[in-house]
Amino acid sequence: MNYIVFDLEWNQSPHGKSRENPRLPFEIIEIGAVKLDHERNIVDTWQKVIRPTVYKTLNYRTREIVHIDKKELDAGTYFPDAVREFLTWAGHDSIFCTWGTVDLPELQRNMKFYNILKLLKGPMHYYDVQKLFAVQYEDMNSRKSLEYGIDYLKLEKQEAFHRALVDAKYTAQIFQTIDLDVMLAYDSIDVYQNPKSKTEEIHMVYNGYTKYISREFHDKEAAMRDPEVLGSYCCICGKKARKRMHWFSVNARNYYCVAECKDHGLLKGKIRMKHADSGKVYIEKTIKISSQPEVESIRAKREELRARRRKKRRETAAQS
DNA sequence: AGGCTTGTGTCCTCAACGAG
DNA sequence: CTCGTTGAGGACACAAGCCT
């Protein structure tokens, strides 16, 4: 088993949104990758410039960021050939690692455009090094730039950022500093190819929380009627926990609840609605260990929401 | 410039319910 | 019965911050 730390550079329509191809808003122009063995020693690298077929000139903003000239692009590899070679080089039992959450979806969107998405089965586990960096060095929820991470760790900046192999190397260097237990406790799941059937649904148990990714439902209401979606199970023992506060929403996408496990105490649940490509919806549910003060603040949040609506109504009623 | 995510806030509609 | 109030929540806009 190897780790494949990769990075992409991409381009977009040079003439604005009105003249973009809606199936491919971003076109990959370079793939760079570093292979690490199971002890995270660097053992190989791989890099290819991709010859664009959709946007043949660079968007002015892309030109400012990515230092690739037209000659290099014109001499590049046709995307499907490059991806086939990349995946073969990566090997089937490897785990991908990227800085942030966007590279894997972008890779798959480009693959879908060229009708070769079947070469990469999803959903898949991967390591988001940007997230691991936040867990180990920051406040857990921050998302910093790659350069911030390199500066923070005082690693040498020999090569300029924003070439795929360079950024992949920097990401790999940061990845090497992440404690094994942090890494194992915080893997990520890419759901560009979200679960379609009950058997494809994902149930993950982490240190202190669980994650569930559902199959597709016709709409939000159908999802919020499903017993599996609504259930709150203890993230330690897996037993059904008793609801202390029913699912309530702050907006159209997020639902919260509080439950209590007989043996392991207070739990907080969060449901996030996601839109699948097909127009249907699926949900991501996390259940975490909570505490009395946190439950109080959730309750306060709900009360505040109600109070604000009440106040608003009073004001509008007073005006008319 | 554009995509994506997360959090906030506003406005509107719907249904339940009690008062008159 | 109608009306007003209330909770609930959908639709949408906006602002950060990442990514290129």
Side-chain angles (χ1 to χ4, degrees), chain A residues 56-303:
Chain A
K56 292 179 185 164
T57 56
L58 294 178
N59 177 290
Y60 78 95
R61 193 87 177 125
T62 309
R63 193 180 300 122
E64 282 175 10
I65 297 167
V66 187
H67 297 287
I68 296 185
D69 59 37
K70 182 140 174 61
K71 263 195 202 131
E72 227 180 321
L73 289 175
D74 290 343
T77 308
Y78 180 53
F79 179 79
D81 296 339
V83 164
R84 282 197 176 88
E85 194 184 305
F86 170 59
L87 293 177
T88 304
W89 171 83
H92 283 294
D93 62 341
S94 296
I95 299 181
F96 289 119
C97 312
T98 59
W99 188 263
T101 60
V102 297
D103 288 81
L104 269 172
E106 211 46 66
L107 177 65
Q108 291 171 90
R109 182 152 63 181
N110 276 254
M111 289 175 73
K112 188 176 182 181
F113 181 81
Y114 286 100
N115 295 313
I116 53 170
L117 185 54
K118 58 183 172 300
L119 297 179
L120 196 56
K121 270 273 157 290
M124 66 191 119
H125 290 270
Y126 73 103
Y127 288 110
D128 174 358
V129 183
Q130 186 186 43
K131 172 178 171 173
L132 296 176
F133 176 84
V135 171
Q136 182 156 320
Y137 301 109
E138 304 263 317
D139 72 348
M140 188 128 166
N141 293 317
S142 74
R143 291 297 181 267
K144 300 295 191 182
S145 68
L146 180 58
E147 186 161 9
Y148 176 99
I150 291 294
D151 288 340
Y152 181 94
L153 295 171
K154 299 186 170 61
L155 298 171
E156 267 188 72
K157 294 197 278 187
Q158 289 154 329
E159 296 174 276
F161 285 85
H162 294 301
R163 282 300 298 256
L165 182 55
V166 173
D167 286 6
K169 281 183 193 164
Y170 285 141
T171 305
Q173 280 183 272
I174 295 176
F175 183 52
Q176 287 175 320
T177 74
I178 302 297
D179 297 339
L180 190 63
D181 54 340
V182 169
M183 197 180 117
L184 295 177
Y186 293 96
D187 77 330
S188 300
I189 304 167
D190 175 82
V191 281
Y192 179 82
Q193 303 177 68
N194 59 290
K196 303 289 188 294
S197 63
K198 190 92 182 157
T199 53
E200 285 176 1
E201 290 188 336
I202 294 169
H203 297 266
M204 291 299 298
V205 180
Y206 297 104
N207 185 17
Y209 72 103
T210 55
K211 178 169 260 190
Y212 163 66
I213 300 172
S214 78
R215 63 196 182 282
E216 295 180 343
F217 295 94
H218 278 292
D219 52 39
K220 199 181 309 191
E221 290 69 31
M224 292 309 284
R225 255 184 267 123
D226 185 80
E228 177 78 49
V229 170
L230 294 177
S232 42
Y233 303 89
C234 176
C235 53
I236 294 175
C237 63
K239 277 190 256 177
K240 184 124 186 152
R242 193 191 177 88
K243 279 268 173 12
R244 287 277 301 272
M245 192 189 301
H246 235 272
W247 291 106
F248 70 97
S249 78
V250 192
N251 55 38
R253 293 189 296 275
N254 298 310
Y255 296 78
Y256 302 91
C257 84
V258 173
E260 185 164 16
C261 170
K262 271 210 305 289
D263 301 320
H264 301 100
L266 293 166
L267 307 164
K268 61 170 178 175
K270 180 174 184 176
I271 287 177
R272 185 166 296 159
M273 282 294 155
K274 300 272 188 170
H275 288 279
D277 243 16
S278 56
K280 294 181 178 177
V281 304
Y282 65 98
I283 70 109
E284 282 186 22
K285 176 170 71 178
T286 55
I287 294 179
K288 294 187 186 178
I289 297 201
S290 189
S291 60
Q292 196 59 49
E294 194 174 42
V295 168
E296 289 311 318
S297 86
I298 292 171
R299 202 180 296 278
K301 194 171 172 174
R302 190 180 63 168
E303 288 311 314

